[in-house]
Amino acid sequence: TIIIGTMTVEKDIQNLAHEMESSLGGGSLEDDLEQRKRAVLTALCDAVLTTNTQFQVIACEDGVERVFRKPMLNASLLDFFSDKEEKEKFITAVRRQFPEDDSQGEGPKRMRIGFRDNSGEFFEADVVVSDASTDERGKVNKFMVGMHVRSEYRARFVQDPNKRVPRLVGNRSGEARRDGQRDKREKAAASGESTAGPDRSHA
C-alpha cells in the first residue's frame, strides 16, 4: 500500500522574511542585501555610490570623493558626465535595466562612461549599476553605482599618494602589482634610496 500525503506550509512569505531578518540580528533584510551588494562592488571598483531614482547621491564611500575631487553627498551624478551624449547613454542603459513599467529589464552591463571631476578634468570609468533597494511594489527606488577608473587616467590619483584611489586584494592583480611597483619606485626616489632590479622609472 502506498500512502501519499500532503503538507501545507502554514507560514507565508512575509513571516519567512521576518524570521530571516531576526536571524540576521534584527536588522532589515533589505539593508543586509544592500550591504552585501555594496561589499561586492567595493571589492571590484574604485568608488561606490548610492543614488535615488533621480541620480542624486544619497550615500557614498571615501573613494567617490577622491574620484570627483569634492564631497558628493547630495550632489547629482548627472552633473559630472562629460557631455550630454554620455549622460543620455547612461540614463538609457539604466532605464533598460530597470524599466519603469512591468516589462522585463535587461541584465546588468558594464558601461564605459566619460566624466569630468569638480575641476573639469576629463576621465573615463567602467560603470556598473545595481538595484540597492525596492519599494512595496517591487520597483527599484535606489541605485548602487560602481566605478572603476580606466588605467590611462589613474595617474591623476597617484600624483598625491594620499589621494590615490585604494586598490583591493583580488581586483585585477596584474594591474595592482604594477601600481604597487610604481609606488615603491616613487617612494624610493623621494627618500633618495634605490630599488632592486633595473630602473624602469621615468624622469
Side-chain angles (χ1 to χ4, degrees):
T1 303
I2 301 176
I3 300 176
I4 300 177
T6 61
M7 179 178 66
T8 302
V9 178
E10 298 179 349
K11 298 178 181 178
D12 59 21
I13 295 177
Q14 290 183 347
N15 288 338
L16 180 60
H18 178 72
E19 286 190 1
M20 291 177 68
E21 290 180 10
S22 299
S23 67
L24 291 170
S28 167
L29 176 61
E30 185 173 272
D31 289 343
D32 181 74
L33 292 175
E34 181 175 345
Q35 291 172 5
R36 291 174 186 270
K37 289 181 180 180
R38 181 178 296 278
V40 171
L41 281 179
T42 300
L44 298 174
C45 302
D46 296 313
V48 179
L49 53 87
T50 303
T51 76
N52 58 22
T53 54
Q54 302 303 314
F55 304 107
Q56 180 185 21
V57 180
I58 57 178
C60 59
E61 307 292 340
D62 292 341
V64 176
E65 296 187 6
R66 285 190 286 269
V67 168
F68 290 100
R69 294 177 174 171
K70 77 176 297 292
M72 290 293 289
L73 190 62
N74 298 322
S76 173
L77 181 62
L78 301 181
D79 292 340
F80 294 88
F81 288 88
S82 60
D83 54 41
K84 182 179 179 181
E85 287 72 21
E86 292 292 86
K87 181 190 302 184
E88 291 179 351
K89 178 173 69 174
F90 174 80
I91 293 175
T92 299
V94 173
R95 297 310 182 203
R96 287 177 177 173
Q97 185 177 345
F98 304 105
E100 296 179 350
D101 56 22
D102 295 329
S103 61
Q104 182 68 34
E106 298 180 357
K109 297 178 180 179
R110 185 175 62 179
M111 300 172 277
R112 183 179 300 182
I113 301 291
F115 293 94
R116 293 194 183 276
D117 63 21
N118 193 47
S119 62
E121 185 175 349
F122 175 84
F123 69 95
E124 281 187 333
D126 291 326
V127 177
V128 63
V129 180
S130 174
D131 54 319
S133 67
T134 57
D135 59 22
E136 62 278 2
R137 300 173 301 161
K139 293 296 182 181
V140 176
N141 56 16
K142 287 193 295 184
F143 298 118
M144 194 172 295
V145 182
M147 304 173 60
H148 173 68
V149 178
R150 301 285 297 178
S151 58
E152 56 266 39
Y153 298 97
R154 299 191 66 80
R156 63 198 289 274
F157 299 110
V158 298
Q159 293 173 357
D160 181 350
N162 294 324
K163 294 182 180 180
R164 180 171 178 265
V165 175
R167 304 295 299 170
L168 299 180
V169 175
N171 182 17
R172 299 166 182 85
S173 58
E175 184 178 351
R177 284 195 299 270
R178 290 193 294 272
D179 287 344
Q181 291 169 357
R182 182 170 59 249
D183 286 351
K184 289 180 180 179
R185 291 196 296 269
E186 290 172 353
K187 291 178 180 178
S191 62
E193 299 175 356
S194 60
T195 56
D199 184 7
R200 298 186 181 90
S201 61
H202 299 285

